[in-house]
Amino acid sequence: GGPGRGGGNISPSRQFDAHAAGCGAKPGYNATAKHNCIVRLLKELCDAACLVTELEPRELEAFRCHTCGELVSGAQRHTHGCKGAFSRTGPDLRIYFGDGSVLYDVTVVHVTAPSYHGRTPQSIVADKIRHKNAFYAPHVGDEPFVVLPARALGGIEKPLLKLVRQLARMADVPQEHAIGRLSAALAQGGGNTLVSARRSNWSRLA
């Protein structure tokens, strides 16, 4: 949402711009598109390094409630109190290394979302990691599970940066090239999304 009539959160112009540029609710290159681009980059690096991978392992799928944002299992989806719509989610990638497999889940955190108002980006990212670890811990068993956070407006957190560097080395790809692609995945599209969000608000004010 943004400033103007017709609902949504009314924000000063600067706050609105910071939110709209990465909002997952806007079509175009939003937080969801950035997430998918990062997953594709990781898969390409794994392929170049001749590592076996699984995308979105089916046995670990979960569902996010559109009403409250809670993660629930497939069975819980039918008994969840909100009774609203759900979207499928789950760990994005399983990578088989020489000494075993590791599960990874990319999460692009939109730290300027209205629901995070008054909180620091660091605490928001930390909460995301804790929540995902707590949810998946009973399901993954002894298999390592790593959350790979990034920020919708361009910040790359250490776990994601570490994995990209590791895979680049294994694939014999220059690390600066791989990190550049990662940065581009987070940075591109922000201007177009912002223009689209502003236009929709101008039309409501007209």
Side-chain angles (χ1 to χ4, degrees), residues 21-171:
C23 181
K26 291 299 299 178
Y29 205 81
N30 56 27
T32 302
K34 294 171 193 241
H35 165 277
N36 295 339
C37 190
I38 292 170
V39 174
R40 286 195 298 271
L41 170 61
L42 296 176
K43 179 69 167 62
E44 288 175 19
L45 289 172
C46 287
D47 290 345
C50 298
L51 293 171
V52 176
T53 59
E54 288 180 61
L55 285 171
E56 299 181 343
R58 295 290 296 178
E59 76 275 15
L60 293 170
E61 72 176 2
F63 296 85
R64 186 179 300 281
C65 175
H66 289 191
T67 303
C68 69
E70 189 70 20
L71 277 175
V72 299
S73 67
Q76 292 171 325
R77 183 175 46 155
H78 304 293
T79 59
H80 187 60
C82 291
K83 304 297 183 184
F86 292 85
S87 57
R88 184 187 174 279
T89 185
D92 293 298
L93 189 65
R94 174 181 276 134
I95 303 177
Y96 291 89
F97 296 100
D99 55 352
S101 62
V102 181
L103 286 162
Y104 294 98
D105 189 62
V106 174
T107 181
V108 177
V109 185
H110 191 31
V111 297
T112 60
S115 56
Y116 296 140
H117 179 70
R119 298 184 55 191
T120 66
Q122 293 81 2
S123 71
I124 296 166
V125 170
D127 274 358
K128 281 279 189 180
I129 294 173
R130 278 194 295 269
H131 185 65
K132 291 207 169 193
N133 280 331
F135 178 82
Y136 286 110
H139 307 289
V140 301
D142 295 330
E143 187 173 18
F145 172 71
V146 180
V147 180
L148 302 172
R151 303 183 197 177
L153 298 180
I156 305 171
E157 304 294 332
K158 287 182 180 179
L160 177 56
L161 191 59
K162 178 181 177 181
L163 179 62
V164 168
R165 284 175 169 160
Q166 177 186 359
L167 294 177
R169 285 195 302 270
M170 297 178 73

Side-chain angles (χ1 to χ4, degrees), residues 8-20:
N9 295 279
I10 300 175
S11 306
S13 177
R14 191 172 297 176
Q15 291 178 350
F16 174 74
D17 289 354
H19 169 72

